[in-house]
Amino acid sequence: MTVSQRLMVVAEDGSRLEEICSWLRDNGFHATGFSDPQDALVDLGGHTYDILLIESGACSFDRAALAQNAAAIQPEIVAALVGDEAGDPSGADPAEISVLEFLPWPFVPGALRRMVARAMQLRMLRQQLAMETVRATASTTRLEATLRDRDAFAGRIAHDLQAVMQANEGFATALLHRAGAKLDDKEQHYLQRIVDTSLRGNRLVNDLVAYERLGNQEVHLRPVALAQVLERAREGLAPDCAGRDIEWTIGGMPMVCGDASLLQHAFVHLLSNALKFTRGVQPARIRVEASCCEHGHEIRVVDNGAGFDANYAHTLFRPFERLHPIAEFEGSGMGLANFRRIIERHGGTVRAEALKEGGALFAFTLASAQASDAGARPPAAPRESTEPPQRGSPALRVLLIDDDPAVLTTLGDMLEYDGQHVTRALGGPAGVATFARSLEAGPGFDLVITDFGMPHMDGGEVARRVKATSPGTTVFLLTGWGARLDASDDWCAKVDEVLAKPPRLADVRKALSKVTASAA
């Protein structure tokens, strides 16, 4: 039988090296011998070998290092030790020095061929693993590129849709303010419907962007005090609870392993859902409780609201799924879908149950964590006023930059309606040039409001150039891509505030109040 395996033999003793190589060749193997391990490694760089046989007797080189270095050059090669029948004089375990096994010399043909068969099988497995690794790396690279493209595509669509809705809402709001007294009730109702529909479209786009990004957003897992996360979520929903008769029952909450920020969003989605569907109930009862389960902890939110048809429970967590008419309960149908995605990113599960006595139960599971590892609760952000500015407040000099003329008009009108002095610039280059001219001519602008996604020069570059020439000028960034910035972008430190598009008048006033306070 012809044997085609290529064997490399390394032995410092020249006579022993020649004996082993001659025996191997006489028995049908291709054998090449080296007395210097460095020469052997050099040859491995240019020729392929299946098996490396290393003399185990007294030698001046490190056999484990030789085996490891050989594997670094040819990862599929299999090493074995060769020595006298008395065994390896070092007494080392072959596995500990990266070799397959020890072979006594002189070889027993049957034992050698069994070792070669095992070595070739191991070599084939290593080759398959290497190919799978290459394929997995290529797939990961393609997936990352796809996710980047999809994120950019979603952001671009969000940006353009927000611009359209900004124009609809802005013009309709401006018309209500300026001509409201001249319009009859039906005409005012039509305008208000345009405003409300634009806002609903805006929320839908924001929900879609959030859903898209939850799929690949990094989750920072650490011990979290769920009671504190729940309380922060309730504080954020205080305006939705104002004037309502709500009986809250909050049970003990466990320590879990999760991302506190994302889990707060999960609670906001669930509690908002409970508040919405108990709106017609007096009193509304909302209970939050937790218990141990196989996967760690199960957290349940129970309400006595409108409930749902149990036959459709499996559809509740799908995007855009609605089991109630929009005339009865507003919403985009994305809240529970976003909730589910957050929990699944934590490795948990979700379920919904229609209660016989009315109302609904929503539950999710999270892994547990040790309480001693939990971080302290961050201080709550102070509430800021959204009231219109007092007429005695100094007017701000505002530079508004956007590549959409409709946004320049509507947002500029909103600012001027509040008494600000507005200069409009169409696009980033024009905005930077206008800002530079204003510095040359006088005190410049108090505030620059720039869109983020613009051709030729985006909002990040505008912010960088503004701060480079006038560090004290406040910069707001408008974006339909979500209100969070990527800290890896070096221009993030140049932006003082981020406003989601289309900006509500209340949000603009809140942000402007900070600038007015600092300028006073």
Side-chain angles (χ1 to χ4, degrees):
M1 182 178 67
T2 301
V3 180
S4 59
Q5 288 83 10
R6 292 179 55 85
L7 280 67
M8 171 182 281
V9 183
V10 180
E12 283 187 327
D13 185 329
S15 59
R16 172 63 60 86
L17 177 64
E18 182 58 31
E19 289 177 5
I20 295 174
C21 288
S22 296
W23 191 96
L24 291 171
R25 293 178 189 122
D26 291 344
N27 284 270
F29 293 96
H30 299 290
T32 304
F34 296 89
S35 57
D36 185 339
Q38 292 303 318
D39 292 340
L41 293 174
V42 171
D43 194 64
L44 279 172
H47 300 89
T48 300
Y49 291 90
D50 301 309
I51 301 172
L52 169 63
L53 298 180
I54 307 173
E55 182 189 20
S56 68
C59 56
S60 61
F61 62 86
D62 186 332
R63 292 164 298 173
L66 174 59
Q68 292 166 359
N69 290 334
I73 299 171
Q74 293 187 24
E76 298 86 5
I77 197 168
V78 179
L81 292 176
V82 178
D84 295 331
E85 291 185 5
D88 183 5
S90 69
D93 182 350
E96 293 179 356
I97 57 175
S98 304
V99 300
L100 178 63
E101 62 182 77
F102 174 82
L103 285 173
W105 171 257
F107 295 137
V108 175
L112 176 65
R113 295 192 185 280
R114 284 191 295 272
M115 186 280 294
V116 170
R118 288 192 296 272
M120 295 306 294
Q121 185 178 25
L122 178 59
R123 177 181 172 81
M124 182 177 65
L125 291 174
R126 288 177 176 176
Q127 289 174 331
Q128 292 174 347
L129 178 60
M131 288 188 292
E132 290 298 329
T133 301
V134 171
R135 282 195 288 266
T137 300
S139 297
T140 300
T141 301
R142 288 195 300 270
L143 177 60
E144 290 174 347
T146 300
L147 291 175
R148 286 194 300 270
D149 292 343
R150 193 172 68 178
D151 188 65
F153 179 70
R156 185 69 255 177
I157 290 178
H159 174 272
D160 292 345
L161 289 176
Q162 298 284 24
V164 172
M165 287 179 285
Q166 166 84 56
N168 291 342
E169 184 204 1
F171 283 122
T173 301
L175 188 56
L176 277 173
H177 282 307
R178 296 183 179 185
K182 304 175 185 177
L183 304 176
D184 60 31
D185 291 343
K186 181 172 289 188
E187 291 168 338
Q188 291 190 32
H189 172 71
Y190 289 159
L191 283 175
Q192 191 59 52
R193 287 289 297 273
I194 294 173
V195 172
D196 293 342
T197 301
S198 297
L199 292 176
R200 188 164 69 246
N202 170 51
R203 287 192 294 269
L204 175 59
V205 171
N206 288 337
D207 288 342
L208 282 171
V209 172
Y211 183 79
E212 164 65 23
R213 291 182 174 174
L214 280 173
N216 51 42
Q217 178 180 344
E218 185 176 359
V219 178
H220 302 282
L221 297 178
R222 56 177 57 87
V224 174
L226 205 57
Q228 297 175 358
V229 173
L230 172 59
E231 185 58 28
R232 287 197 293 272
R234 289 184 60 198
E235 289 174 357
L237 293 170
D240 296 338
C241 302
R244 292 187 55 184
D245 183 8
I246 303 174
E247 295 180 1
W248 292 93
T249 303
I250 307 298
M253 291 290 109
M255 297 296 303
V256 299
C257 180
D259 185 310
S261 176
L262 288 177
L263 291 179
Q264 182 176 335
H265 284 298
F267 267 125
V268 167
H269 287 307
L270 275 193
L271 297 182
S272 296
N273 191 72
L275 288 170
K276 177 168 64 176
F277 288 101
T278 57
R279 192 176 296 146
V281 180
Q282 296 291 337
R285 296 187 177 91
I286 301 175
R287 184 173 77 252
V288 186
E289 58 191 17
S291 62
C292 294
C293 68
E294 180 183 358
H295 304 290
H297 299 280
E298 182 179 70
I299 297 86
R300 297 176 292 278
V301 176
V302 186
D303 66 65
N304 64 336
F308 58 88
D309 187 337
N311 293 321
Y312 296 95
H314 63 286
T315 70
L316 282 172
F317 301 104
R318 296 175 183 172
F320 305 114
E321 286 293 335
R322 299 179 51 85
L323 300 185
H324 297 274
I326 195 169
E328 295 181 13
F329 298 101
E330 76 286 352
S332 62
M334 292 297 298
L336 291 178
N338 282 333
F339 159 72
R340 185 204 69 192
R341 179 159 282 195
I342 291 173
I343 299 305
E344 289 180 348
R345 291 299 309 279
H346 284 75
T349 59
V350 301
R351 66 183 180 92
E353 181 181 337
L355 303 180
K356 294 180 179 179
E357 62 274 19
L361 177 151
F362 291 89
F364 60 98
T365 61
L366 293 170
S368 60
Q370 294 298 321
S372 59
D373 295 331
R377 176 186 176 182
R383 289 187 172 90
E384 300 180 72
S385 172
T386 60
E387 294 300 314
Q390 299 297 321
R391 286 304 174 184
S393 301
L396 296 173
R397 297 180 302 275
V398 181
L399 173 60
L400 180 59
I401 306 172
D402 202 296
D403 61 320
D404 189 331
V407 174
L408 289 177
T409 300
T410 55
L411 183 54
D413 288 351
M414 288 171 60
L415 294 169
E416 289 174 341
Y417 175 78
D418 272 357
Q420 315 302 341
H421 298 308
V422 180
T423 300
R424 298 166 175 82
L426 186 62
V432 170
T434 301
F435 185 80
R437 288 194 298 270
S438 73
L439 290 179
E440 295 173 357
F445 293 98
D446 302 305
L447 170 65
V448 173
I449 302 178
T450 178
D451 186 28
F452 177 48
M454 298 184 292
H456 309 303
M457 183 186 297
D458 64 20
E461 181 61 25
V462 170
R464 186 187 294 111
R465 296 195 184 193
V466 167
K467 291 290 189 177
T469 55
S470 180
T473 300
T474 302
V475 177
F476 289 176
L477 187 73
L478 288 174
T479 175
W481 299 38
R484 292 187 300 274
L485 296 180
D486 184 349
S488 63
D489 292 324
D490 60 354
W491 50 262
C492 287
K494 314 299 183 184
V495 174
D496 300 287
E497 188 88 20
V498 179
L499 295 175
K501 291 180 72 175
R504 301 292 309 279
L505 185 57
D507 296 333
V508 174
R509 286 171 174 166
K510 182 190 297 185
L512 288 177
S513 66
K514 302 177 184 178
V515 184
T516 303
S518 63

